Amino acid sequence: MSYRIDLTVLSEQKQFCRFGVTLHNLSDQDLIDWKLQFIIDRYVLPESVNHGEIKQIGSFCTITPDVQILKANQHYYCELSINTAPLRYYTDGFKDALVVEHNGEVSHPVVVTPIALASPYRERSHIPEVEASKLALIPKPNQINLLDGYYLLSPNSQITLNSTRAEGAANWLQVELERLYEFKTHSIGHSDILFRDNPILDEGEYSLTVGKEGIRIESGSAAGFIHACATLLQLVEATDTRNTLRVRHVKISDSPRFRYRGMMLDCARHFHPVERVKRLINQLAHYKFNQFHWHLTDDEGWRIEIKAYPELTDIGSKRGPGTALEPQFSTLKEVYQGYYSQDEIRDVIAYAAERGITVIPEIDIPGHCRAAIKSLPHLLADSEDKSQFRSIQHYNDNVLSPALAGTYEFLDTVLAEVVELFPSPWVHIGADEVPNGVWIDSPSCKALMEELGYQCHKELQGHLLRYAEKSLKKMGKRMVGWEEAQHGNKVSKDTVIYSWLSEEAALNCASQGFDVIMQPAQYTYLDMTQDYAPEEPGVDWAATIPLEIAYGYEPLKNVPESDPIRKRILGIQCALWCEIITHQQRMDYMIFPRLTALAEACWTNKQHRDWKDYLSRLKGHLPLLDKQGVQYRQPWKQK
Ligand code: ACM
């Protein structure tokens, strides 16, 4: 260890904290003409740095110290401040650090010690002890009759299809029985698992009867058959005999509470390989989700192949030394990269479809576009725009201009390929977090505002989004976007709003006449920490979300049953933003078990939901997660 950096909280108030940074040169060489690089999520106030100057682009900071030489066995110290909430978790500290010499030609790795926090939370969430339920079904079916006895599935068991709609479900069931229980069914044998059409049942609804005669599954929809199989896979128990399983006699009639049940995965901040994405999609099917919202583009990476613009992935999918995008979030020294080819995307879509899941692509505009702008500056950069702004993630050059012809050319071209690729009837256009101050000092934006008689810059955003909405409509798609898509009052009520600020904000959009997907960050953002201990990974800008809080999310709690606004709420979604999700283990830890709690908010009617009952089912369900190597956060302390 030749270099080490310590970050210490010196003082903290609600919206102002000061830190000490110490870089130790533990090598036997002096550092000459050097700079310090580090990664931190918070914005460092530039004037606050003593003993040096800071430059920050996103989470990437460079300090040029006021001492040219740092002698061997000496240290460099500076202080800096932020004007946001105090830090409570180790993952709030430096994610990586590097010392560079001679204009970056030489670099030295630096060991980062955990941040010395001023006042870590003292409280901890407590999960009551419960007995593991023998009927560990999650989400809880809406009607269950438990009967005596078990049905045995043997090596001669056969799946019989009396419904063409059930083909996908039956295939999935076979794949999962083999994966989870090493159990194979036969193409010829006695009809143990019978899939039958029942046209009376609504979309997603199913009945599952296990009795002496075997397992009978009925549905009127392909989705219903999939959900029935998800339930069956949780009912199945291994026995002592190889290739023999038992299933409790039961009669279940079940249907979803919300018709849209989704999860968003951010693959831009960190890239998740196809296998990881598929693993998640398969897990979603097990908990009866039916939508996968794929966040494919952002400031820090463009992850979808667009044939017309190879630059988007040649340039925009890479960040780090020697590339057009600075390092962000995790590693400073290595180039970080990844994107999905169109063939891979088709493969993921087909995989999801086999599991009853629609893949909704998101191309986030006009903010969150830095990777695109850096890839296609001749189309997307407005060189005359002198506006001063800073996005929430600390960029000043990440917004498309509604006054550039190139923006529309880009949009037309990208959306045409996206529409061709994704069968989903919806395309998500982002629209979130466009910073204040943008476009103000752009001559072309000023001229456009004058031409259109606009008073406010938000109208420019609305103008661009309305264009996107109309283009998508012409191509047969419905535009969906984040909460801010309705800013500027230009898009039609055909646009579906994904509300993330709060449930109140969602209801506000619904009362304006928009259809809404509710994704309140305070309950559904799985990148939020799960408890108050400093070693919990995650962020907490919206909330800390222990399992009990996630489970406690009761959608539309304060909206009367008779209120017509309920019809506008199409469903619920949870989300994993991936600034700190660098590997599978971290992903599992953040998602599980909270995903199972939220699955129940999506599926199970309020009157059947109960925290303690859920916990006992969760306890009974954990062995199935263990079997799959899911590295979930332990709800109960291990003895
Ligand atoms: C969001 O969290 N910016 C949608």
Side-chain angles (χ1 to χ4, degrees), residues 62 87 433:
T62 306
L87 278 50
E433 298 182 322

Side-chain angles (χ1 to χ4, degrees), residues 403-420:
L404 282 187
T407 297
Y408 296 86
E409 188 182 324
F410 165 79
L411 209 52
D412 286 343
T413 311
V414 169
L415 290 182
E417 289 196 28
V418 167
V419 163
E420 186 65 33

Side-chain angles (χ1 to χ4, degrees), residues 4-8 20-24 94 110-116:
R4 196 186 87 215
I5 193 165
D6 307 325
L7 178 64
T8 306
V21 177
T22 312
L23 174 73
H24 304 267
F94 292 149
V110 176
V111 171
V112 177
T113 57
I115 177 173

Side-chain angles (χ1 to χ4, degrees), residues 34-47:
W34 65 284
K35 292 184 191 207
L36 170 64
Q37 299 180 343
F38 55 80
I39 291 180
I40 191 160
D41 289 348
R42 305 297 185 94
Y43 181 65
V44 178
L45 297 168
E47 304 302 321

Side-chain angles (χ1 to χ4, degrees), residues 59-234:
S59 61
F60 173 59
C61 298
T62 306
I63 286 188
T64 307
D66 60 3
V67 287
Q68 280 232 316
I69 298 176
L70 177 55
K71 288 195 172 306
N73 274 316
Q74 303 246 325
H75 69 264
Y76 160 78
Y77 177 78
C78 73
E79 294 182 6
L80 48 85
S81 306
I82 61 170
N83 60 358
T84 46
L87 278 50
R88 294 283 180 258
Y89 295 97
Y90 294 137
T91 48
D92 286 332
F94 292 149
K95 311 280 196 296
D96 194 14
L98 202 62
V99 168
V100 295
E101 284 184 286
H102 313 299
N103 266 332
E105 274 163 40
V106 182
S107 64
H108 309 282
V110 176
V111 171
V112 177
T113 57
I115 177 173
L117 295 161
S119 46
Y121 289 119
R122 299 269 168 253
E123 64 198 295
R124 297 284 181 272
S125 77
H126 171 71
I127 307 265
E129 280 301 329
V130 290
E131 288 289 317
S133 168
K134 295 265 186 305
L135 202 66
L137 300 179
I138 302 178
K140 186 170 186 161
N142 283 302
Q143 203 187 321
I144 314 177
N145 281 333
L146 199 55
L147 308 166
D148 283 339
Y150 288 89
Y151 187 76
L152 287 187
L153 290 171
S154 73
N156 290 323
S157 291
Q158 182 206 0
I159 292 180
T160 305
L161 293 181
N162 284 351
S163 163
T164 48
R165 288 195 191 100
E167 213 166 299
N171 285 338
W172 183 56
L173 180 65
Q174 278 174 297
V175 168
E176 293 301 89
L177 283 174
E178 188 166 353
R179 183 178 72 89
L180 296 168
Y181 300 102
E182 293 171 21
F183 179 84
K184 285 193 192 164
T185 55
H186 281 234
S187 53
I188 301 175
H190 44 91
S191 175
D192 295 62
I193 306 178
L194 175 67
F195 288 84
R196 234 178 356 216
D197 258 331
N198 183 343
I200 294 169
L201 300 182
D202 283 342
E203 175 71 23
E205 190 174 359
Y206 69 92
S207 75
L208 169 65
T209 309
V210 184
K212 283 203 218 46
E213 304 75 34
I215 298 169
R216 303 288 172 256
I217 296 172
E218 293 189 3
S219 183
S221 57
F225 284 118
I226 298 267
H227 303 327
C229 290
T231 303
L232 179 56
L233 285 162
Q234 293 181 356

Side-chain angles (χ1 to χ4, degrees), residues 368 393 432-433 482 484 498 500 519 525 541 577:
H368 291 279
Q393 286 90 10
D432 57 327
E433 298 182 322
W482 296 116
E484 299 93 321
Y498 283 55
W500 58 280
Q519 188 187 284
Y525 271 23
W541 60 261
W577 296 103

Side-chain angles (χ1 to χ4, degrees), residues 33 39 127 201 267 288 355 365 490 496 555 598 615:
D33 187 17
I39 291 180
I127 307 265
L201 300 182
C267 292
K288 303 188 174 71
R355 287 154 180 77
I365 66 153
K490 298 276 180 290
V496 180
L598 290 162
L615 283 179

